[in-house]
Amino acid sequence: MKREPPILADLVFLGGGHAQIAAIKSFAMNPVPGLRLTIVTANIRTPYSGMLPAYVEGVWDDDDLHVDLAHLAQFAGARLIIAPCTGIDADGHKLLFDDRPPLHFDILSINIGGQPDLGAIKGAADHVIPVKPIAEFQKAFDDLLAAGLPKKLAVIGGGAAGCELVLALNKRWRDHGASPELTLYSRSTRLMPQMALRASHLMFGALLDAGIKLQLGRAVDKIDAGTIRFGDNTSEAFDACFLVSAVRPPRWLSTTGLALDDQGFIAVHPTLQSKSHDNIFAAGDVATISGSPRPRAGVFAVRAGPVLAKNLRKYLHGHSLKRWSAQRRYLAIIGTADNGAIASWGQFGVKANGLLALKYWIDRRFMAKYQQLTMPTPPAPQPFAGLDAGLGSGPDGGSTQSHRDPVFATMRCLGCAAKASHNVLADALEDAVGLAVSNGADPALMPEAGIETDAAIMALPPAGHQLVQSVDVLSEIVSDPFMLGRIAAVHALSDLYAALATPTSALAIINLPEANLSIQTNQLTQILAGGLFALSEAGVKLTGGHTSEGGALSVGFSVTGHSKKKRPATSVTAGSGYDLVLVLTKPLGTGVIMAGHMQLVAEAQWVDAAIRQMAVSNQQAAKHFLKKGVLGATDITGFGLARHAQNLSLRLGASGCRLDLSSLPLLNGALALLSSGIKSSLHDQNRAAVQIDTSGLRGDSSAQIDSHIETLFDPQTSGGLLGVFPRGAANQLVVNLHKDGQMAAIIGTLDFTNAGVHLTGNM
C-alpha cells in the first residue's frame, strides 16, 4: 500500500523579503519529501522596494509593486500564517505571537527587513511619513494625493533612496499640474555617499535641474507639526515630510537569544547561518554578515536568495554550507524621473536615458519570477469505460456520472467535506488552554485538566427547552492551523445558530497527518487554540473529543445546545398580511475564492478577506434574529444560497422565493473569478438542484448577469445566516446589525404563487 511520507521537519520562513521568496520558490520547484514549509508574515503581500520610486512617480501600480504570498505559498505547498511575530525563542525552536500559540520550527529562515529609525529624530514618529514599512507609506501617500497635493514637501535622507523619492514626488506633482516646493535634507555634505563620486555629482545636477532645494550637511534635530528644527535654532516649514533614514532592527530581537551585532541586527556567518544557532538563518536588512558587512540595499537581499536556498537545503541534509562573498562593487541604477537614470559601479558613474529602460527591465524580470506562477491543472479522472456504459449522456457529451460527480473534477475543493498519542493530546491541550485563558477566555469554559475521553457528560437543558445537536468537519481549507481551528468551530456553531439554539458544549474531531511528535503536538496546539478561542467567545465548553492520525488533516466539532420548545411559526401563509423578506448576514464567494486560490488565480486581498469572513461568528446575527422575531432561519453552507433559500421558503409554506441579484453582498473577487470560469467542484451540483427563473432580470451586459447568477450556487464554508422576517422588522434588523459591525442585507422575498427561485434586479 502506498504511504504518504510523514512530516519529519518544519522549515519556517519568517517574513517575505527578497531573499526569502527566492528560497521558497526553490523548495517549490524541488520539494523535499517529509519537509513541511510554513510562511509567517504580517502581510499577505510583500513589496519590492526597488520599484517604489517609480510607483510614486506613477509608472507602476500597486499590483506591479507586490508579490502575492498567498500565491507563492500555494505554489510551494506551504502553510501560510498571516500574523505578526513578536518574538523568537531560539533555544526552544519557537516563534512567539501575542494572540496565538508559539509555532514550532526545526529550521528557521528570517528575512523581515528593518524598521525606520524614528527614534533618531525627536518628534519624527508623530510628524513624518517614513518610507518603510512600504504598506503604511502607500496609505499615507494615497491620503496625500486625495487631500489635494500639499505644496511644501520635505524629504529627509540624502542617500540614493531619498534622492529617487524626491525626484519622483516632483514628477508626480507636476504631472498633476501642481508646482511643489521640494527640499531635500541630509546630514551628509555629499549626496549618495555610498555611491561613486561621479554618480553623486550627477545626482546633484539632476536635483538642481528639477528645481529641488538642497540642504546638505544639516542634521535635523527635531520635528514638530509642520516644522523641521535644526541644532542652530533655525527652522523650516513643511506641509508633508518624508523620512528615508537608516533602518533599525525590531526591538524584540534583543530577547531572542540570537547573536546580534553592535546595532542589534542578527549576526550571521557568510553562509547566512546565525553565529549562535546553527538551525537559524537570516538575510536582507535584518542580518549583518560578520567580516563582510554590506549596505542594507535590496540588491544584496536579491543576490542572497540563491545562497540562502542552497544552504537551507545543505543544512537539512547535513552537508557543508556554501560561503557567500558578496561583491564589494555592484551596479546601482537610480532613476531621475526625467526618462533617464544614473548608474553607479565601483568608482564609475554615468547618466543616460537608456539606463532607465534597463532598470525597468531588471525590475520586471525579477517580479515576473514570483508574479507569474502557474500550477498545471491535473487531468480530470476518467470513469472506467466498462462501468460507465449505459449511464446516460450529459450535455458535454460525457456520461451523466462524469458530468455531475465531483470525483471527476480536475481539482476538487474539500472545504466542507488512527489515534494520536496521549502525550501529543495532553501537551497540546495544556498549551492551548493556557494561551486561551491568558488572552481573556473564560477559564470555566476550558476543557477539564487531563481530559482524555471521547464521551461527554452534559447537563440537561433548562425546563421548557430541548436539546439541539450538530456536527461539521472541514478539511484543510486554510493552511494556517490556528485559523483552521477557529473556522471549523465557527462553522459548526452556525448550525445551532441557524436552529435558533444556544450552544453550550462541543466535542472536537481532529485527524492529523503523520508527523514526528513535536511537529504533531504544535499543530494540534494551534488547532485547539483557534477552536477554543471561538468556542469561548460563544460561551461554549469543550468537553471531549477524538484525535486520530494518518492521511489528510481535518478538523471538526460536534456541538450541542438547547432551544425553547415553543419555536417560531414553521409555516406562514400568503394571506397573513406580511411582506416577508429574506435577510442575509455575510457576503458570498468563499467557495470560488478558495477554488481560485488553489489554482493561483485569486488575488491575495481576496483570499485574506475570504478567510477573515469565514472566521466571523454568526452569534451576534442569531441574537438579533431572535430579538426581531425571525420566522425561520438557515445558514448558508455547501449547498449555496439558491438551494438554501429555496429550502427555507418551502419549509415556511411558501411556493418559492424571489432573489434580487443586485442586492446580494459579495466578497471582492468572486465575480471576477466566476466570470473567468473558476468554480468550486460542488458548484454544478448546486445549480442542478434548483429551479431558476431569470425572466425578471434586466441589464446591459449578459456576461455580468451570468456571473451574478453563478454566485447563487457557490458553496460556502462558514457562511452567513439567512432569515425570514416581516419587512418592517427586517429593515430595523439590518440597521441594528450594521451598528454592531455586522454585515446584513435584504436580498429577496418569499413567493406564495410561483415555485422555484425567481431572480429580479437591474444589473
Side-chain angles (χ1 to χ4, degrees):
M1 183 177 73
K2 182 180 179 181
R3 177 190 177 193
E4 291 295 322
I7 302 168
L8 304 177
D10 268 321
L11 168 55
V12 175
F13 293 95
L14 175 58
H18 305 339
Q20 202 91 294
I21 59 177
I24 295 168
K25 186 175 181 182
S26 170
F27 278 94
M29 301 301 292
N30 186 14
V32 178
L35 179 67
R36 181 169 61 182
L37 308 180
T38 303
I39 303 171
V40 177
T41 174
N43 298 295
I44 200 168
R45 300 188 305 158
T46 188
Y48 177 42
S49 57
M51 297 175 75
L52 183 63
Y55 167 82
V56 171
E57 188 181 336
V59 175
W60 307 127
D61 62 24
D62 181 68
D63 288 336
D64 295 325
L65 187 66
H66 286 89
V67 171
D68 188 324
L69 293 178
H71 281 191
L72 185 60
Q74 182 71 13
F75 182 75
R79 299 187 299 177
L80 178 63
I81 295 177
I82 307 166
C85 175
T86 56
I88 301 172
D89 179 358
D91 295 329
H93 296 197
K94 297 176 183 176
L95 294 188
L96 308 178
F97 305 87
D98 285 340
D99 59 355
R100 59 166 61 210
L103 182 72
H104 166 83
F105 64 82
D106 294 295
I107 307 174
L108 175 65
S109 178
I110 308 170
N111 187 192
I112 53 177
Q115 299 175 352
D117 192 4
L118 298 178
I121 302 175
K122 188 176 181 180
D126 298 321
H127 303 298
V128 304
I129 300 172
V131 172
K132 292 186 178 180
I134 288 177
E136 295 179 16
F137 167 82
Q138 283 184 274
K139 184 181 184 306
F141 177 70
D142 290 343
D143 289 344
L144 282 184
L145 295 180
L149 304 175
K151 187 175 184 64
K152 295 180 68 67
L153 304 179
V155 175
I156 301 174
C163 293
E164 264 194 303
L165 177 62
V166 74
L167 287 166
L169 288 167
N170 182 59
K171 179 70 161 53
R172 185 67 172 268
W173 259 238
R174 293 187 182 280
D175 284 349
H176 283 74
S179 299
E181 297 176 12
L182 278 142
T183 305
L184 179 69
Y185 300 92
S186 175
R187 67 173 60 245
S188 172
T189 57
R190 175 188 157 192
L191 294 171
M192 306 193 308
Q194 294 178 324
M195 303 290 179
L197 182 60
R198 172 63 177 163
S200 177
H201 290 163
L202 290 168
M203 179 56 74
F204 188 89
L207 292 170
L208 292 182
D209 290 343
I212 293 167
K213 182 180 176 182
L214 298 176
Q215 295 277 351
L216 303 182
R218 299 197 73 187
V220 176
D221 184 59
K222 182 182 178 183
I223 302 177
D224 294 325
T227 306
I228 296 176
R229 303 190 185 278
F230 305 93
D232 58 4
N233 293 323
T234 61
S235 64
E236 294 195 15
F238 66 82
D239 296 323
C241 180
F242 300 86
L243 179 64
V244 190
S245 67
V247 297
R248 65 168 178 83
R251 302 197 189 283
W252 54 258
L253 278 180
S254 62
T255 66
T256 61
L258 290 167
L260 307 176
D261 70 1
D262 293 340
Q263 295 177 289
F265 294 96
I266 300 173
V268 298
H269 296 293
T271 58
L272 304 180
Q273 188 179 43
S274 165
K275 295 190 71 175
S276 58
H277 293 77
D278 289 350
N279 64 326
I280 297 178
F281 294 73
D285 287 355
V286 78
T288 298
I289 301 175
S290 297
S292 183
R294 291 291 182 270
R296 302 189 189 281
V299 62
F300 291 107
V302 170
R303 292 179 179 176
V307 179
L308 177 64
K310 288 181 181 179
N311 281 346
L312 287 171
R313 201 178 293 269
K314 285 177 178 289
Y315 177 80
L316 181 68
H317 294 297
H319 300 159
S320 297
L321 305 187
K322 175 183 177 181
R323 292 174 61 87
W324 179 40
S325 298
Q327 70 275 27
R328 293 191 177 276
R329 292 186 176 187
Y330 62 96
L331 176 65
I333 304 177
I334 306 101
T336 51
D338 59 356
N339 295 319
I342 296 169
S344 175
W345 186 79
Q347 297 304 310
F348 299 97
V350 64
K351 184 175 187 297
N353 288 349
L355 289 171
L356 187 64
L358 175 61
K359 174 179 172 58
Y360 289 169
W361 178 80
I362 292 172
D363 290 342
R364 286 196 301 265
R365 185 183 64 167
F366 174 76
M367 294 298 281
K369 289 190 279 186
Y370 306 102
Q371 291 180 330
Q372 298 176 11
L373 302 173
T374 59
M375 293 182 72
T377 302
Q382 296 299 312
F384 293 109
L387 299 180
D388 202 38
L391 292 178
S393 295
D396 58 357
S399 73
T400 304
Q401 177 186 7
S402 62
H403 179 69
R404 296 238 177 123
D405 194 325
V407 75
F408 296 106
T410 56
M411 297 184 75
R412 190 173 180 186
C413 313
L414 298 172
C416 291
K419 188 72 175 174
S421 79
H422 162 77
N423 288 339
V424 167
L425 177 59
D427 292 346
L429 196 57
E430 180 181 358
D431 289 346
V433 168
L435 180 79
V437 172
S438 67
N439 280 271
D442 185 350
L445 296 175
M446 295 298 102
E448 304 296 337
I451 187 171
E452 297 179 5
T453 179
D454 293 351
I457 299 175
M458 297 174 292
L460 291 173
H465 287 67
Q466 57 193 355
L467 283 174
V468 183
Q469 286 187 315
S470 185
V471 62
D472 256 307
V473 179
L474 299 181
S475 62
E476 197 174 5
I477 189 172
V478 296
S479 57
D480 178 345
F482 179 84
M483 287 299 290
L484 179 61
R486 178 178 180 84
I487 291 170
V490 167
H491 183 69
L493 290 170
S494 287
D495 284 343
L496 266 59
Y497 293 135
L500 307 177
T502 300
T504 55
S505 64
L507 298 171
I509 310 160
I510 301 172
N511 185 72
L512 301 168
E514 292 180 82
N516 72 40
L517 291 182
S518 62
I519 289 175
Q520 201 172 68
T521 300
N522 187 255
Q523 184 168 36
L524 184 56
T525 299
Q526 302 276 334
I527 292 167
L528 286 172
L532 286 174
F533 270 95
L535 294 174
S536 176
E537 290 169 2
V540 173
K541 183 172 183 175
L542 184 67
T543 53
H546 181 83
T547 54
S548 55
E549 72 168 352
L553 173 65
S554 63
V555 180
F557 291 90
S558 172
V559 289
T560 301
H562 58 81
S563 66
K564 291 183 179 180
K565 289 184 178 179
K566 185 179 179 181
R567 302 289 302 280
T570 57
S571 180
V572 294
T573 65
S576 61
Y578 289 130
D579 178 12
L580 300 179
V581 300
L582 293 156
V583 176
L584 179 64
T585 66
K586 279 191 184 183
L588 305 171
T590 57
V592 69
I593 289 173
M594 299 313 292
H597 179 45
M598 290 174 64
Q599 300 179 47
L600 300 185
V601 293
E603 294 185 8
Q605 306 96 304
W606 303 346
V607 176
D608 189 38
I611 292 173
R612 294 181 187 279
Q613 190 61 246
M614 288 188 284
V616 173
S617 171
N618 283 321
Q619 181 183 28
Q620 286 300 110
K623 289 180 178 178
H624 283 287
F625 272 29
L626 285 170
K627 288 180 182 178
K628 289 299 175 184
V630 63
L631 299 175
T634 186
D635 58 335
I636 309 303
T637 57
F639 291 155
L641 174 64
R643 186 171 171 190
H644 279 292
Q646 176 178 271
N647 290 350
L648 178 60
S649 302
L650 295 175
R651 175 154 58 92
L652 291 176
S655 302
C657 62
R658 292 183 175 274
L659 299 181
D660 179 2
L661 281 192
S662 61
S663 67
L664 293 183
L666 303 174
L667 287 166
N668 286 339
L671 286 178
L673 291 170
L674 286 167
S675 64
S676 68
I678 303 297
K679 290 187 292 187
S680 177
S681 54
L682 284 175
H683 186 108
D684 288 338
Q685 290 184 92
N686 290 344
R687 202 183 210 291
V690 183
Q691 178 185 340
I692 296 289
D693 173 21
T694 63
S695 60
L697 288 173
R698 300 291 182 270
D700 296 330
S701 169
S702 59
Q704 182 184 31
I705 292 175
D706 289 344
S707 57
H708 272 81
I709 292 173
E710 295 304 316
T711 63
L712 300 173
F713 316 114
D714 187 47
Q716 304 300 290
T717 297
S718 189
L721 296 183
L722 182 69
V724 175
F725 300 84
R727 186 175 292 276
N731 289 333
Q732 187 59 52
L733 169 70
V734 170
V735 172
N736 293 344
L737 283 170
H738 287 174
K739 287 180 179 178
D740 280 357
Q742 299 276 309
M743 202 292 302
I746 297 174
I747 64 166
T749 62
L750 295 194
D751 190 327
F752 291 90
T753 304
N754 303 296
V757 177
H758 302 266
L759 305 183
T760 63
N762 190 345
M763 310 305 296

